[in-house]
Structures are given as C-alpha cells and as structure tokens.
Amino acid sequence: MLNRRLFIASAAAALASGCVSTRQPVPQPAGPTYKGRRISPEYLQMYRAMPEERFPIPAVDLTKIDPGYYRRMVDYSSPEAIGTIIVDTPNRYLYLTMENGKAMRYGVGIGRAGFEWGGRARIQYKKEWPTWTPPAEMIAREPELEKYRNGMPPGLDNPLGARALYIFEGGRDTLYRLHGTSEYWSIGKAVSSGCVRMLHQDVIDLYNRVPNGTPIVVRQA
C-alpha cells in the first residue's frame, strides 16, 4: 500500500511540473529557410552584402533561389584542362575545372543570346563595373535604348553588373559575356535577353579566380 501511495504521489508531481507530455513540440529551423529547409550560415556569408564595392551590393535573398544553384565545390570529371570554364547551358551551371577531379560550380541564368552560340573560345579580358553598350540591332528592336548608344554607365542597374568577362573566338569578339546580375530570380532559368548571368557575388568570385586568356567551352547539349 505504501509503494502504491508513493507511485501516485510521484506521478501527480510529475504531471504538475510538466515533466510528462504526450506530445513534444516540433523543433523549428532557426534563420532563413528555402521551402522549410534551413539555409546554412556558410551560404548566408557567401552571399552577404558587399558594401566595400564601388557600388554597394546587397545581400542575396537566398530564400528565393533553389539551393542547387548556390556556389559550391563538386566532384567533376572532365577531359578539359584545369582552369577551364565550362558552361552547361541546358542545366544552367557554370563549372571552373580544378585539380583532383573537382570543380567550382555556379548557378547561372541563360538568356536568349546564350542559346545562340556554343563552342570553344577564350576570355579575352575582364572588367570591373563595366559600361554596357547595346548593339545597333538591339537598339533597332528597342528604340528606348537609343540613349545608351554610346554606353550605359556602370552600376547595379547596368545589365553587365559588377563584373564582365568578354568571350572572344579566334581573336574576334563573339559579343557574348559572362556577367553579373541583380535579378536573382533569373538564376537557374532561361530569360528573355542577355548572355550568361551570375549573381554578383558569384561573378566576382569567378573574376578573381581566372586570368585573361582562360579557355571557355559552352555546351548547348
């Protein structure tokens, strides 16, 4: 009888103190998420604001971008030489080949112009915060661009963004570029215009990794 009384008293105390529960609260992820999945602090740092730039770059809203397109080191087997840029147009990725079967992979957006050219070429030169000059045929299609015939000043609204890498084939300008964009929603997608676009933070990272003369391969299939 004494043991039974002790058991009842202990159970009542446990219930009173909240120690006994039939349902535990579901832990909620801390910080921003993408479709319920927590975004790693590593990526928040990677895509941080860059106030040190000539035109301060805001942080990327990673909750709006599929994590599959975040910059990362991946296993990548390729016959291309180390230090080659490979644009996988159908899958919206850009790879920079590295040692030991690795590559730095970036998510990209592909514009209409990006589907028109494929093959092998080189990065003839690079520019920080470049001026954008629309081709004459583009101005003919979009007369409102006439005011930029002699060039649009650099800035976040400039279509080339924070950095541009200029693609030449056989010493001739192909008019295709790897460039930055503020339109984060376009990463991983085919958009109406432009060449190969990258998040500002990503194009700056690529710009710092590759020299002039870097080989580039653009694959259309």
Side-chain angles (χ1 to χ4, degrees):
M1 179 63 70
L2 181 60
N3 288 341
R4 183 171 181 273
R5 288 176 180 170
L6 287 173
F7 172 78
I8 293 172
S10 298
L15 285 169
S17 65
C19 294
V20 175
S21 175
T22 57
R23 178 177 296 178
Q24 295 295 326
V26 178
Q28 297 298 316
T33 63
Y34 176 83
K35 294 185 177 180
R37 289 182 292 171
R38 179 173 176 267
I39 298 172
S40 167
E42 171 191 0
Y43 293 117
L44 297 176
Q45 174 63 23
M46 184 179 294
Y47 293 105
R48 65 177 177 83
M50 303 181 76
E52 70 277 11
E53 281 288 321
R54 176 181 172 189
F55 300 94
I57 298 172
V60 179
D61 184 355
L62 295 179
T63 67
K64 302 293 197 302
I65 301 175
D66 187 325
Y69 294 110
Y70 299 170
R71 182 197 331 155
R72 68 190 66 195
M73 186 80 73
V74 297
D75 293 326
Y76 188 69
S77 178
S78 172
E80 304 297 337
I82 293 169
T84 299
I85 294 171
I86 300 172
V87 180
D88 180 354
T89 301
N91 294 306
R92 320 292 194 253
Y93 285 123
L94 181 151
Y95 296 89
L96 175 63
T97 59
M98 296 182 168
E99 296 179 344
N100 303 316
K102 299 288 186 179
M104 187 63 73
R105 189 183 73 185
Y106 307 82
V108 300
I110 303 294
R112 180 174 57 235
F115 286 102
E116 295 174 355
W117 181 83
R120 295 176 176 273
R122 290 190 176 275
I123 302 300
Q124 186 75 5
Y125 58 89
K126 313 176 296 177
K127 286 187 178 180
E128 296 187 15
W129 295 105
T131 296
W132 175 66
T133 304
E137 56 271 22
M138 180 179 288
I139 296 174
R141 293 194 307 268
E142 303 175 53
E144 66 273 15
L145 296 178
E146 176 63 39
K147 59 185 175 181
Y148 300 127
R149 183 177 291 275
N150 295 319
M152 180 180 183
L156 290 174
D157 293 331
N158 184 300
L160 294 181
R163 304 287 189 274
L165 290 77
Y166 295 75
I167 302 174
F168 278 58
E169 182 182 26
R172 180 182 62 85
D173 188 354
T174 65
L175 301 181
Y176 301 119
R177 316 285 186 241
L178 307 178
H179 64 86
T181 184
S182 296
E183 297 176 345
Y184 58 83
W185 51 263
S186 67
I187 301 302
K189 297 180 174 62
V191 291
S192 61
S193 62
C195 299
V196 179
R197 56 177 64 188
M198 309 171 71
L199 296 170
H200 290 305
Q201 288 84 346
D202 281 346
V203 78
I204 290 172
D205 183 82
L206 179 66
Y207 181 100
N208 292 336
R209 290 178 185 272
V210 301
N212 292 339
T214 294
I216 177 171
V217 178
V218 178
R219 295 175 176 168
Q220 299 291 3

